[in-house]
Amino acid sequence: GFGFGFGFGFGFGFGFGFGFGFGFTPSVRLRALSPQTRPKPKPKPRPKKPSLGLRPSLSLGLNQSLGLSPSLSRMPRPGAALRLMALALALMRPLRTAGLRRVCAAAPETPRWAAARLPRFPVTTLLRAAAGEVDAPPEANALRRELAEAQERVAADVAKVNEVALRDDVAEIEAEISTETFYQQPEAVTRATLQKLDRLKGTLAAMESWRTRVDDAETALMLLDEGASAEEADAFLREAAASLAGLAVELDAWEVASTLDRPYDAFPARVSITTGAGGDDAAEWANWLLKMYMGYGERRGWQVTLVEKVDAEVAGTIRSAELEVRGDRAYGYLRNEHGTHRLVRISPFNTGNKRQTSFAGVEVTPLLVEDDISVKALEIPEGELEVTTMRSGGKGGQNVNKVETGVRMKHLPTGLAVKMTKMRSQGENKKLALLVLKEKIVAVLEQQRLESLEQLRGDMVEASWGTQVRNYVLHPYKMVKDVRTGWQTQNVEDVLEGNLDDVIRSLLMDDVKQPE
Amino acid sequence: PNAIPRLESLSAAAAVAAAARVFDEAGVPEADQSARYLVAHAVGRIDDFARLPSGLALSAGEQDLLVDFVRRRVDREPVQYIVGDWDFHHINLLCRAPTLIPRPETEDLVERILGFVAQAQSKAAPLRILDIGCGTGAIGLALLNALPAATCVAVDISENATVLSSDNAERLGLSHRYECILGDVTSPALRLPGGPFGLVVSNPPYIPKADMATLAPEVVAYEDDRALCGGDDGLDVARAIVRRLPHILDNGPASSAWFELDDSHLLDRQAPSLGPNPKA
């Protein structure tokens, strides 16, 4: 009877032959087949779609795109067609909302770090609304304003990306990797190229996802405009809320990641924590920081390895610890953690309920690999290095048999020093010491925004290491405040559990704003 | 060794602590480090000795191994002999009693030679090296590892050493550039193959006879005397080599002879001369 019937014969098992993706992720668009189509209000650059509009959207988690987004802009003028549409909707309603509810219920609980994104509605509220957890979803006009702002934000971000050049680059690299000679290159080269391709394709996929979400929110709100029952309106509002929430999260992540384009940002990271002044309190503080960074690495899905931990006297306290963090742009995200972190709280270690201040030093360096081209290029003249062995005085050589092969290596112009005892031969300890020394040098170069080793001086090293970067106060009030940007939160426990996305985001975005 | 608990579950950290305590009480030097190496070896992860997970559990078999290792170490057997191999410079060498265990100071010697050769000629240029008193093959093989175009002839008075250094060359894939012969460099009968060499190196026995008794048990009781004692002033073998130099060194760009000797041989301590002026 109506023009929707044919063409939907995909038979997803619902007997209607309408290919709605209940429990599937495809986002289906109803397209009226009437010739009297209204022109779309804005032209949207999109790849051509089959007219029956089965379009896959990114699936799972916050990206759940709900299964119904008819393109109202192609709807015919009010009249017969609209009544037909209303009839179709009415018939589909029980299935549609059932599907919506199931999909909404599958949306995971909002991560706390996603809170306070959109100006008017925290993502939490939007997602809870989408999941049907609150009585009243956000009001339609407010959502429309959100949509408008989201569209602006997407446009701004898309403008930063030269899409045409990007697609050209992707095509070029894909051609390159399909040649026989590509894999004959050294591993470091092929790895870098494949990573670059991943990143470019990731950007294209992200842009596609933003557009999908904007469309989904837009059409949900438009459907609302065309008149719907209270139940339907509820569902449309929740869908719009979900799309906008997901979009905000994606845009945040992308904006932060796109700041990480400095030379060493893509490297894995080495995080070293050392107890500062404050006795047992400081030793416990260092342990808390260790747990914080392990927590942060885990929530980002990175591989975090505890390489070394020196316990202090009291249980739950440490003298020092070292982590190796491997994951996408780990050094880029973590590099701003470098510096002194200060804790203020009531000390459990002495009687008298006194406020105690403790310090711990966090050192973040890129994890360098000998064979990497950038590492080879970083040459330190031999005259600048002082190498001493750790053997005590007295007779040596054939006179004794010792297993001590440790070395100390000091970079004289900067005073940076490394003690290396991890290997069984002096030569191997020297080699590794040099690599670790280079890591420290790179970290200082990055901190001070220098280009070359010649510019590096001792006072810059001190400035880099001793600076206080963040305060954590537990008494008499609760606050974490980053000294560099003024970012602060009262949710200290959250931060200490490893929720650093917000503060790191603020630091990286601030980096970008400052002219160098 | 009886002081190491044989437990259902013994963690690596507890094993290291127990072994170190045993060594301390027995007066074994470098107690903590020896303990770490031996526990790591017992679990088959010697290269990870510095970062063994402290909670790693030792199986019953591994605990038995550890007890055996600890017993041997309390008898002052060198850690390197117990483990069976050790790193030197950037290579790994099998170590077997009584062949002298390579010393870290000898790595300094290798580095100096490499620095000198780099200045004297191109890295790709061939070089015939003679290693006298090769022992495990440490010096010659470390040089071959760093100089892809070099070849080495090695001599040792001990058959244990000639077999061991050949085994090490094989293990490192350097057999095609390494040849070890049995011979006594102090004997005029020794014939070295192939004519003059581009560079001569030796870590000869250099300990004066009087000092031999003062050496630690690890050295005196387990390592070959012939690798250690250099006669009254410790320079017998070095002198013999220097006398031969005019006949075994060529005139190439890197032509030089390198010795590791004792502290007591430093010139400012008025050491006896090494003999008539060598050509090199």
Side-chain angles (χ1 to χ4, degrees), chain A residues 321-333:
Chain A
E322 190 181 310
L323 292 170
E324 281 179 7
V325 184
R326 289 183 168 80
D328 186 34
R329 288 170 279 199
Y331 179 67
Y333 284 101

Side-chain angles (χ1 to χ4, degrees), chain A residues 102-113:
Chain A
R102 199 175 323 141
V103 162
C104 287
E109 200 182 56
T110 320
R112 281 176 287 184
W113 52 262

Side-chain angles (χ1 to χ4, degrees), chain A residues 43-124:
Chain A
K44 293 176 190 178
R46 272 207 301 269
K48 280 201 123 200
K49 294 194 176 27
S51 62
L52 301 169
L54 259 185
R55 178 155 55 88
S57 65
L58 296 177
S59 62
L60 298 178
L62 296 169
N63 293 351
Q64 273 291 6
S65 180
L66 303 176
L68 172 62
S69 326
S71 176
L72 289 170
S73 53
R74 295 242 180 90
M75 288 302 292
R77 291 271 168 215
L82 186 56
R83 284 197 287 277
L84 287 171
M85 170 66 167
L87 182 59
L89 287 173
L91 280 174
M92 291 186 285
R93 188 197 319 146
L95 296 161
R96 194 181 65 230
T97 51
L100 280 174
R101 284 215 189 86
R102 199 175 323 141
V103 162
C104 287
E109 200 182 56
T110 320
R112 281 176 287 184
W113 52 262
R117 271 304 131 243
L118 294 182
R120 283 172 200 76
F121 288 109
V123 162
T124 8

Side-chain angles (χ1 to χ4, degrees), chain B residues 102-117:
Chain B
R103 309 302 205 236
E105 286 87 349
T106 315
E107 292 190 43
D108 285 335
L109 179 64
V110 170
E111 285 286 310
R112 282 171 197 267
I113 295 174
L114 289 172
F116 172 78
V117 169

Side-chain angles (χ1 to χ4, degrees), chain B residues 130 132 200 240-250 256-257 259 278-280:
Chain B
L130 177 65
I132 302 176
V200 171
I241 296 171
V242 168
R243 265 185 229 116
R244 275 184 179 261
L245 284 177
H247 311 289
I248 56 178
L249 257 185
D250 69 15
S256 53
F259 295 85
K279 180 175 161 188

